[in-house]
Amino acid sequence: MSALTEDQTGRGGRPANGTATTVENPPHPAVPRQPAPRGATAEAAPSTTASKEPATSATVSEKSAPPTTASAEPASSATVSAEPASPTTAPEKPAPPSPATDHPAAPRPPITAVTTVTTELAHRTTETDVFPARWTRISDTRFRFTAHWPAAHPFFGPVDDRHQDPMIVGETLRQASMVLAHAEFGAPADTHFVMWDLTVSVDPAALLLADAAEPVEFDVVCSEIRRRGRGLRSMRTTMEFRRAGRFVARGTGSTGCTPPRAYRRLRAGRLNAWNTPVPLLPGIAPQAAGRSRAEDVVLAPADRPGVWNLRVDTGHPVLFPRPNDHVPGMVLFEAARQAATAASGLRPFLPATLTAEFAHYAELHSPCRIETEVFDDHPGEVTVRVSGRQDGASVFTASLTSARPARVRSLS
């Protein structure tokens, strides 16, 4: 939900709502490549291919000079400009990727090399929050990962007594995208990442708690690759997840990379306001949001049904693992899921499809309203459209579809 969604590296422990914070980007330690197990051979190219960009998604672009209508870089999606612009204008659409930039400039290690995912590469602070475990390069743009989705996790825990949380798919996609950007495409350690869009399709019947001990294999195809010198400007990642050979999910998302100097220029006005504490609003009932713990609720009551205020807990160890000058995209993605749960009344709300587009940063110190519309257009399922608005402008939109449990007829 940073994001799916945008995440940035920071220094220091997790901030509390009443604590002033600063954000820096310490260098990440080098990650040694591990040799492949004895007898390992190059894997065949994955069966997945880079999908066409979905109609509901946006891609990431960056211009060396600011366009006249460029917006400030959004919380989970952005176009980098040399100067911050009005937060109410729409980001500029990217130019088509050039074939000349589709291949990394740096030499690649042997494809039999197996590399371990670290907390630094995944932009997490604890190992239990890192879901991709290792990867092998298949080609310059294709990779095969192994992930572990634990049966119990402080935040991405089970949604009922049978199913794992479908949101773990989006979080794994987000982490793997940043891992590849750093380790395979040359994004420096102090890069700020942003995500413009995220689309995930899940088979909830394959996301069972009983299978949690089984590792998840997923193939990644990188496309729409745009470079900044030897580094990375943006790319799209498309992934297909399988467990014990059975399809579990597929997803795609576009990721942009912002150098720290450009980020400081872009966010200068907000970076100077970090000394202002963020009010922690009272949350709605955890059961209404589909959560078991009150501290995981990201919605607060509003003035009418189907509408909530975003609840920002800057001390949450998973949603805010590092100091941040805006609301991470993962918080917005979770707000969409909780709003869909509360609006639909389904317990649990098991989304088979999730799409999200991010238009602007969600600022920490301004109220953000979460609004919903519920649609029962197709028998046996319910779709909830969620939008987040702040200061009169759209921050993000999302759509989540879940199967509606069949009604059991009484025999009496």
Side-chain angles (χ1 to χ4, degrees):
M1 250 181 248
S2 40
L4 131 175
T5 61
E6 190 269 349
D7 195 339
Q8 70 183 64
T9 306
R11 178 174 296 171
R14 60 187 179 91
N17 279 58
T19 304
T21 64
T22 58
V23 178
E24 298 180 11
N25 291 276
H28 294 161
V31 181
R33 252 180 217 282
Q34 300 178 353
R38 180 166 304 198
T41 58
E43 297 177 81
S47 58
T48 55
T49 57
S51 64
K52 294 281 186 180
E53 183 180 348
T56 59
S57 66
T59 56
V60 182
S61 70
E62 183 183 15
K63 300 288 186 181
S64 57
T68 56
T69 60
S71 68
E73 187 177 351
S76 295
S77 57
T79 300
V80 177
S81 63
E83 304 265 345
S86 168
T88 60
T89 55
E92 179 179 318
K93 295 293 183 181
S98 168
T101 66
D102 284 349
H103 297 285
R108 287 288 181 255
I111 60 177
T112 54
V114 177
T115 309
T116 300
V117 176
T118 65
T119 54
E120 292 82 11
L121 287 174
H123 286 222
R124 307 301 297 178
T125 54
T126 60
E127 292 184 0
T128 55
D129 292 340
V130 177
F131 302 125
R134 56 190 176 275
W135 81 93
T136 301
R137 185 174 62 85
I138 305 301
S139 72
D140 284 348
T141 58
R142 296 182 179 223
F143 307 88
R144 180 160 296 158
F145 276 76
T146 298
H148 296 287
W149 292 343
H153 185 270
F155 188 78
F156 295 99
V159 294
D160 58 11
D161 58 358
R162 295 187 57 229
H163 297 92
Q164 291 189 271
D165 187 353
M167 301 294 280
I168 203 170
V169 178
E171 175 61 12
T172 303
L173 184 151
R174 188 184 69 88
Q175 291 182 18
S177 298
M178 291 188 295
V179 167
L180 292 178
H182 280 310
E184 299 284 354
F185 290 94
D190 55 3
T191 298
H192 296 259
F193 288 94
V194 293
M195 184 163 278
W196 278 64
D197 64 86
L198 183 64
T199 300
V200 175
S201 300
V202 183
D203 177 9
L207 202 60
L208 300 179
L209 280 171
D211 299 330
E214 186 75 28
V216 176
E217 305 290 334
F218 63 100
D219 291 331
V220 183
V221 176
C222 300
S223 62
E224 302 174 22
I225 300 166
R226 302 187 68 205
R227 292 205 162 273
R228 180 188 296 106
R230 289 178 174 266
L232 181 67
R233 176 178 293 183
S234 63
M235 71 176 177
R236 174 171 293 280
T237 49
T238 301
M239 308 183 187
E240 182 166 300
F241 301 80
R242 294 182 178 273
R243 179 182 265 164
R246 180 180 179 181
F247 171 83
V248 176
R250 64 173 53 91
T252 184
S254 56
T255 303
C257 307
T258 308
R261 182 178 298 179
Y263 187 84
R264 287 193 295 269
R265 288 196 301 265
L266 189 67
R267 298 288 296 165
R270 299 296 180 178
L271 296 179
N272 294 333
W274 286 335
N275 288 332
T276 305
V278 180
L280 182 58
L281 303 177
I284 66 174
Q287 295 74 18
R291 306 297 309 195
S292 59
R293 305 189 311 169
E295 55 264 40
D296 294 332
V297 173
V298 298
L299 300 179
D303 53 359
R304 59 186 175 88
V307 178
W308 295 269
N309 292 312
L310 184 66
R311 179 177 185 263
V312 179
D313 181 2
T314 57
H316 195 287
V318 177
L319 297 177
F320 279 84
R322 294 180 172 93
N324 215 325
D325 63 285
H326 58 268
V327 180
M330 186 170 69
V331 178
L332 303 179
F333 206 40
E334 175 63 19
R337 188 264 291 273
Q338 292 189 19
T341 302
S344 68
L346 295 185
R347 308 288 189 277
F349 186 91
L350 282 171
T353 60
L354 311 89
T355 65
E357 297 178 5
F358 303 94
H360 297 286
Y361 281 113
E363 305 297 348
L364 293 172
H365 302 104
S366 182
C368 183
R369 287 174 65 85
I370 308 298
E371 303 176 353
T372 59
E373 292 181 274
V374 181
F375 299 88
D376 293 299
D377 299 336
H378 301 285
E381 68 180 32
V382 57
T383 296
V384 183
R385 295 178 186 170
V386 184
S387 62
R389 298 186 64 82
Q390 189 174 65
D391 298 326
S394 173
V395 173
F396 77 96
T397 57
S399 178
L400 303 88
T401 300
S402 174
R404 186 181 292 280
R407 296 180 178 178
V408 179
R409 294 184 177 180
S410 173
L411 299 178
S412 58

